[in-house]
Amino acid sequence: MRRVAVIGIGITKFGEHWEKGFRDLVIEAGKNALEDANVQGEEIDALFVGAMSPGLMVGQEHAAALVADYIGLNPIPATRVEGACASGGLAFRNAYMAVASGMHDIVVAGGAEKMTDLDTAQISTVLGGAGDEEWELFQGATFPAIYALMAKRHMHEYHTREEDMALVSVKNHKHASMNDYAQFQKEITVEEVLESKTVSSPLKLLDCSPITDGAAVVVLAELEKAKKYTDTLIEVIGSGQASGQIALHDRQSITQIDATRVAAEKALKQAKVTHKDIDLVEVHDCFTIAEILALEDLGFFKKGEAVKAIRENQTYYDGSLPVNTSGGLKGCGHPVGATGIKQIVEVAIQLRNQAGKRQVKNAEIGMTHNVGGSGATAVVHILKRIK
Amino acid sequence: MKKNLALVWRRIPQRYRLIGSLCESCNEKFFPKRHFCPKCRRKGKIKDFQFSGKGSVYSYTKVSVAPEGYESMAPYYLAIVKLDEGPLLLAQIVDCEDDEIHIGAKVRKAFRIMNKDGKEGVINYGFKFIIDN
Amino acid sequence: MAGICSYGAYVPKYRIKVDEIANVWGEEGERIKNGLGLIEKSVPGIDEDTATMSVESSRIALERYELAFNKSAIANAVFVGSESHPYAVKPTATIVQEALGFSPNVYSADLEFACKAGTTAMIIINSMVDSGKIDFGIAIGSDTSQGRPMDALEYSAGAGSASFLIGKENTIATIVDHYSFSTDTPDFWRRQHAEFPSHGGRFTGQPAYFRHVISATKKLLERTKTTVNDYDYFVFHQPNGKFPQLAAKQLGIPKEKIDLGLVTPYIGNTYSGASMVGLANVLDNCKGNERIFVCSFGSGAGSDAFIIEVNANIRKIRQTEKEYHRLEYYIKRKKYLSYGMYAKHRGKLKGLED
């Protein structure tokens, strides 16, 4: 396998973009990424686009061809990758594999979602499709409800408290307030989280990631070729992906996402690093409980012990394990298909030492963790700054 | 929420009567139905299995923000139910007061309306659970 | 000879008090309670209808049979009597038979004869068993009746269901004889596409309810050369708490013989279910060797009268039944609704999809 580096990153502001459609968002992020990489369109060999459901959200299938067309990359091969909320992470992994395999030298990976064209009940139904339509949705389940079931059981087994989950939200909003492209720019308090409207008990509105429009794009290149474009090489040193049961109730345990565990083990093994080597991690906190589960399942903490680190503020950008410096899905926003690529963008910004107020000191190795559905897909990447 | 008729119709026996599967090779029971045993794979012998509809609450949530077509039922309890025969499934717990539900609470099956396809479309029925005290 | 092999009755958990409804319309609750002889009525859950209640009462009947006689009954006929079938076209009975696991070898259909469709289902199934066409059949009377807002019926229109498993094997009670009396009397009706029923006010009394109930009862007593003294219990159709008491008075039946079968005062009028739910309550308290006289009434109008003889087999049901098989469990289990919640449960709010 060939070595691969990220040579360019681009992102739109995450939020409610009433004036911009799906294609407008992708063009903006794509243009930024290509300029950042300083590559010309004709140098690019292929494109992968992660999007969960443009068909249901804006009525547009065939999204990769549209993106290739509108960012001026015709006639290169363009492929849409779908893995629910992990679509972006999967697009990145496919782009990585395409370069690592020797098939292509320079590949673009993008992710985008335009969510605000639907009303809340409609978008909630579409997102529910990431679970089991026949045996979860039909029963009246929503995504918050599925994660609430995990949270309730986690509280039962490990004495996790609603306040602990609220701390995750408070921290991610704090990080978001220092990130210009984040949806939320305001800090919140534990009390505000606890007093926010219940969505699906014990999860409240401020435990849930918002509905967001946005796009993110990165450019990957074979390492030797990458040196032509940049001095700060961000190498992809580990990539792992795994699958689990589509329905929560089919799992051995509902307080653990096995796919996350397996994907992390694979990525760490390939990267030949251990948890101690990771300077920061972007995890999939679609709900506050999901960040707690992620930190345990990725192997940073034993089951039930992540909350201790959270209570001790160790997961802030200046703590011993900075988590979600972008603001995470909670604070930065969660335009579903874009999230996996945004995580790569944030880690690259940190490793390039460009994160400003939220900069993690001496960051050299970062991890991303992107989940589809309630854990039926998980994809983990490890990136390293090399001289 | 216009649904294709056949999409719902083909699950009627499972939804009305809790018909799942039994793998005769390993004695593992499944709900919903499986066409092959994930454990025994090709060596598995799958046949239909009728669940008794008794179980207990494994985890639960009170859904306040409901999806399309379920809004008028909100708030409602949704639970992972551990059936007495082993498997877990997801179902609403109905006719249930806040002080009646807890992890471990005994439940039994009920037959209820799941959703309606508007005012003129079909009515879909299926299983929910009630507290069995 | 065919007979009842098992039975079950079901009433939803929700109730609304007469006082609560009276308050909305500026009426005096006490006066209405005394006039109708009922204090509250049952209201279906937001996800309940005639089909779901029919399944619940039938499951109780089948479970009871299985526990008492150690074998399961497979019914080859399912008839659902109701005036609130969920569909105008498409049978309730097929939903019920599928949920009970009887498909596809089933004679099934929906019946409608206002409040007596369920007892008519009993006669049909009884005859089918007697003729040897089927081994078991289920007759169901079930309704989630609607009362027009502000109408007198709004105080009494309840929800409930009763199922009778009829066959030859392991009968707990025999249907010794039955007699039907019907005429074209337009006392109560609901036209196609109309949301609420209409009625003839006081015309529903003497020419309708009383004429048919009393005639059917007298004729069957005459035919069998029996008198009131030959029966332990009488169960009449019970649109409210008062009518059956007045009928009993006219027939010279002492109060204690009708009390057990009179449940409308607590759950309201369950329409097609009413006399059958009353019968279920009597059977719940039988030990064997009781004789029960039942007379239903359906507007439009007609009555089915039955003579039912309970035998010692009912003790097997008594010994093995569960608490939730008994009607008492459902009568006691209740949650009161405000008029607003009641309007939501019954789909009476304008602008909302049903």
Side-chain angles (χ1 to χ4, degrees):
Chain A
M1 277 212 316
R2 307 197 297 174
R3 294 172 70 181
V4 181
V6 174
I7 60 166
I9 55 175
I11 193 162
T12 65
K13 169 132 174 72
F14 278 13
E16 293 172 319
H17 286 286
W18 303 112
E19 72 293 352
K20 288 176 191 160
F22 182 85
R23 72 184 78 188
D24 306 317
L25 293 164
V26 186
I27 295 164
E28 186 182 326
K31 188 170 153 282
N32 291 345
L34 267 54
E35 277 175 17
D36 183 59
N38 200 21
V39 295
Q40 302 302 314
E42 52 275 18
E43 296 173 275
I44 294 163
D45 299 316
L47 165 72
F48 290 90
V49 177
M52 175 181 165
S53 197
L56 291 174
M57 294 185 199
V58 294
Q60 178 67 61
E61 303 295 6
H62 213 170
L66 173 95
V67 173
D69 184 5
Y70 270 74
I71 56 176
L73 293 179
N74 282 340
I76 62 163
T79 309
R80 173 175 152 202
V81 182
E82 192 274 310
C85 324
S87 299
L90 297 189
F92 183 79
R93 181 172 150 88
N94 276 278
Y96 164 71
M97 292 191 298
V99 177
S101 70
M103 178 67 88
H104 298 302
D105 289 335
I106 299 182
V107 174
V108 170
E113 217 77 68
K114 174 69 197 175
M115 300 174 77
T116 58
D117 284 347
L118 294 184
D119 68 34
T120 311
Q122 289 171 324
I123 199 76
S124 159
T125 305
V126 173
L127 294 175
D132 186 328
E133 197 282 330
E134 294 191 340
W135 302 106
E136 292 184 327
L137 251 67
F138 186 83
Q139 303 298 99
T142 58
F143 246 80
I146 296 288
Y147 274 90
L149 290 164
M150 298 191 214
K152 187 76 192 175
R153 190 72 200 181
H154 200 275
M155 291 166 78
H156 178 76
E157 288 179 13
Y158 304 108
H159 310 291
T160 306
R161 303 168 311 167
E162 292 182 34
E163 291 83 348
D164 298 325
M165 294 190 271
L167 286 171
V168 172
S169 186
V170 169
K171 184 259 302 171
N172 287 347
H173 273 258
K174 164 79 180 167
H175 287 169
S177 73
M178 299 187 285
N179 176 4
D180 289 342
Y181 66 80
Q183 180 163 6
F184 297 117
Q185 297 290 329
K186 210 180 92 187
E187 290 188 49
I188 56 169
T189 64
V190 168
E191 291 68 35
E192 283 174 300
V193 179
L194 294 178
E195 282 164 19
S196 62
K197 175 188 158 66
T198 300
V199 173
S200 195
S201 69
L203 298 182
K204 293 159 287 291
L205 189 64
L206 291 177
D207 284 302
C208 307
S209 56
I211 289 163
T212 311
D213 302 325
V217 175
V218 296
V219 184
L220 295 94
E222 185 277 322
L223 192 71
E224 285 311 311
K225 208 160 190 181
K227 287 175 182 166
K228 280 193 357 199
Y229 297 94
T230 175
D231 297 332
T232 319
L233 290 168
I234 309 296
E235 187 184 355
V236 184
I237 59 170
S239 175
Q241 181 189 341
S243 306
Q245 290 85 346
I246 185 90
L248 182 64
H249 55 81
D250 279 334
R251 312 225 177 110
Q252 282 294 321
S253 162
I254 66 165
T255 51
Q256 155 175 335
I257 294 177
D258 277 334
T260 291
R261 185 178 52 76
V262 176
E265 281 167 6
K266 284 182 178 169
L268 287 162
K269 192 174 169 209
Q270 184 195 347
K272 297 193 181 69
V273 296
T274 68
H275 292 93
K276 281 194 286 247
D277 301 316
I278 309 286
D279 298 311
L280 73 144
V281 56
E282 284 285 305
V283 304
H284 196 91
D285 61 318
C286 46
F287 300 93
T288 48
I289 182 65
E291 179 161 322
I292 295 169
L293 295 177
L295 292 176
E296 293 167 353
D297 298 334
L298 289 169
F300 289 103
F301 301 98
K302 283 196 199 130
K303 261 295 145 199
E305 291 182 8
V307 292
K308 190 168 170 284
I310 290 165
R311 286 175 198 158
E312 291 168 358
N313 294 339
Q314 288 178 36
T315 54
Y316 275 81
Y317 73 103
D318 54 357
S320 57
L321 177 65
V323 180
N324 283 334
T325 53
S326 68
L329 282 61
K330 176 69 207 79
C332 188
H334 182 29
V336 187
T339 286
I341 302 290
K342 177 220 74 178
Q343 295 177 326
I344 302 287
V345 168
E346 174 65 14
V347 169
I349 289 172
Q350 289 282 357
L351 300 188
R352 285 173 174 187
N353 201 16
Q354 294 171 343
K357 279 192 276 184
R358 67 182 192 285
Q359 180 63 46
V360 174
K361 277 193 191 128
N362 307 318
E364 192 193 345
I365 297 178
M367 180 189 261
T368 63
H369 163 250
N370 193 194
V371 172
S374 60
T377 299
V379 54
V380 172
H381 284 101
I382 301 172
L383 288 85
K384 183 180 181 184
R385 174 168 43 81
I386 54 172
K387 273 131 206 155
Chain B
M1 199 183 46
K2 189 87 192 149
K3 279 254 170 78
N4 187 307
L5 287 177
L7 180 72
V8 179
W9 164 81
R10 70 174 67 95
R11 301 295 177 224
I12 280 181
Q14 298 184 63
R15 292 217 175 103
Y16 282 20
R17 280 184 282 144
L18 282 178
I19 304 281
S21 305
L22 162 72
C23 173
E24 287 183 312
S25 306
C26 67
N27 211 30
E28 183 94 10
K29 290 159 191 131
F30 304 96
F31 190 88
K33 268 188 185 183
R34 293 255 172 183
H35 297 292
F36 68 86
C37 174
K39 232 200 283 180
C40 307
R41 293 174 190 264
R42 258 183 292 175
K43 285 183 206 128
K45 279 173 76 184
I46 290 279
K47 64 172 220 174
D48 279 2
F49 182 81
Q50 166 78 62
F51 286 93
S52 68
K54 304 241 174 189
S56 57
V57 172
Y58 184 77
S59 188
Y60 68 93
T61 175
K62 190 177 193 175
V63 178
S64 303
V65 181
E68 261 183 303
Y70 296 78
E71 297 98 330
S72 67
M73 296 180 214
Y76 50 83
Y77 281 107
L78 193 69
I80 292 196
V81 170
K82 185 170 174 52
L83 295 171
D84 282 355
E85 294 90 344
L88 303 178
L89 57 73
L90 186 72
Q92 286 182 35
I93 311 291
V94 291
D95 289 353
C96 172
E97 304 308 317
D98 290 352
D99 58 358
E100 289 179 307
I101 192 162
H102 56 90
I103 289 175
K106 296 272 177 226
V107 292
R108 64 172 195 272
K109 70 177 173 188
F111 185 75
R112 298 290 175 118
I113 297 167
M114 303 304 292
N115 57 53
K116 294 177 184 174
D117 191 357
K119 225 173 164 52
E120 296 197 355
V122 295
I123 304 166
N124 295 310
Y125 297 92
F127 59 84
K128 294 185 183 178
F129 281 74
I130 54 172
I131 300 288
D132 189 10
N133 40 26
Chain C
M1 196 179 178
I4 297 165
C5 301
S6 185
Y7 66 100
Y10 174 86
V11 181
K13 178 180 175 175
Y14 305 94
R15 303 282 186 279
I16 184 163
K17 290 184 173 165
V18 165
D19 289 319
E20 174 76 12
I21 301 172
N23 202 30
V24 172
W25 306 122
E27 295 278 356
E28 293 169 52
E30 283 307 314
R31 205 178 291 279
I32 291 170
K33 279 188 276 182
N34 290 333
L36 293 176
L38 62 90
I39 51 170
E40 58 200 41
K41 67 166 190 172
S42 54
V43 181
I46 210 152
D47 55 359
E48 291 186 291
D49 64 13
T50 292
T52 65
M53 295 194 309
S54 298
V55 170
E56 296 297 350
S57 60
S58 302
R59 277 180 178 167
I60 293 170
L62 293 166
E63 269 183 43
R64 262 179 165 153
Y65 185 86
E66 199 170 326
L67 289 172
F69 304 112
N70 249 326
K71 60 197 291 190
S72 49
I74 304 293
N76 299 112
V78 174
F79 290 98
V80 184
S82 180
E83 56 134 81
S84 55
H85 290 290
Y87 291 91
V89 178
K90 196 222 163 284
T92 307
T94 51
I95 300 166
V96 176
Q97 70 179 53
E98 193 72 51
L100 300 178
F102 299 147
S103 297
N105 303 314
V106 201
Y107 294 92
S108 64
D110 292 357
L111 301 183
E112 190 280 310
F113 193 140
C115 297
K116 88 163 185 83
T119 53
T120 303
M122 286 175 70
I123 294 173
I124 297 172
I125 299 231
N126 197 60
S127 309
M128 288 177 82
V129 173
D130 264 341
S131 73
K133 272 268 180 213
I134 57 169
D135 292 330
F136 287 105
I138 291 192
I140 302 165
S142 178
D143 260 311
T144 57
S145 305
Q146 283 279 27
R148 192 188 301 274
M150 220 160 106
D151 187 89
L153 286 184
E154 198 185 16
Y155 295 100
S156 58
S161 176
S163 300
F164 286 81
L165 177 70
I166 293 170
K168 279 182 183 160
E169 214 179 319
N170 301 316
T171 55
I172 56 164
T174 334
I175 298 174
V176 179
D177 203 356
H178 60 83
Y179 171 79
S180 296
F181 181 96
S182 62
T183 67
D184 186 355
T185 307
D187 61 316
F188 169 101
W189 65 91
R190 179 163 64 84
R191 291 271 298 275
Q192 182 83 294
H193 309 305
E195 237 179 288
F196 298 104
S198 306
H199 58 86
R202 288 186 58 78
F203 182 69
T204 58
Q206 205 47 54
Y209 179 87
F210 293 104
R211 177 184 175 208
H212 292 82
V213 167
I214 287 166
S215 303
T217 302
K218 280 186 173 161
K219 294 264 188 201
L220 188 55
L221 289 174
E222 271 168 33
R223 192 163 87 182
T224 53
K225 298 191 174 63
T226 56
T227 68
V228 168
N229 298 331
D230 295 312
Y231 300 93
D232 302 289
Y233 301 104
F234 283 81
V235 182
F236 293 116
H237 175 56
Q238 34 204 285
N240 49 52
K242 278 285 157 69
F243 276 23
Q245 292 186 32
L246 291 170
K249 210 168 171 185
Q250 287 186 39
L251 289 159
I253 302 164
K255 191 178 173 299
E256 56 272 21
K257 287 194 180 184
I258 65 160
D259 277 350
L260 202 52
L262 186 53
V263 292
T264 288
Y266 321 106
I267 59 173
N269 179 9
T270 55
Y271 284 60
S272 299
S275 51
M276 294 166 78
V277 170
L279 173 59
N281 202 43
V282 171
L283 290 174
D284 274 356
N285 293 284
C286 280
K287 297 175 182 71
N289 305 320
E290 291 90 346
R291 282 167 67 87
I292 310 167
F293 193 101
V294 180
C295 186
S296 66
F297 170 72
S299 290
S303 281
D304 299 322
F306 297 83
I307 293 169
I308 292 167
E309 229 171 64
V310 182
N311 66 48
N313 251 345
I314 201 161
R315 284 179 215 154
K316 290 187 183 156
I317 288 202
R318 258 329 63 80
Q319 284 155 11
T320 52
E321 71 191 352
K322 301 204 164 139
E323 194 195 351
Y324 70 84
H325 291 156
R326 298 173 61 80
L327 181 65
E328 200 183 9
Y329 170 87
Y330 295 95
I331 291 180
K332 283 187 181 159
R333 177 189 82 140
K334 58 186 173 185
K335 180 181 184 174
Y336 290 107
L337 300 179
S338 63
Y339 193 87
M341 279 304 287
Y342 160 74
K344 180 180 169 187
H345 273 236
R346 302 305 286 127
K348 288 181 175 187
L349 294 168
K350 238 184 173 174
L352 269 189
E353 284 259 310
D354 183 17

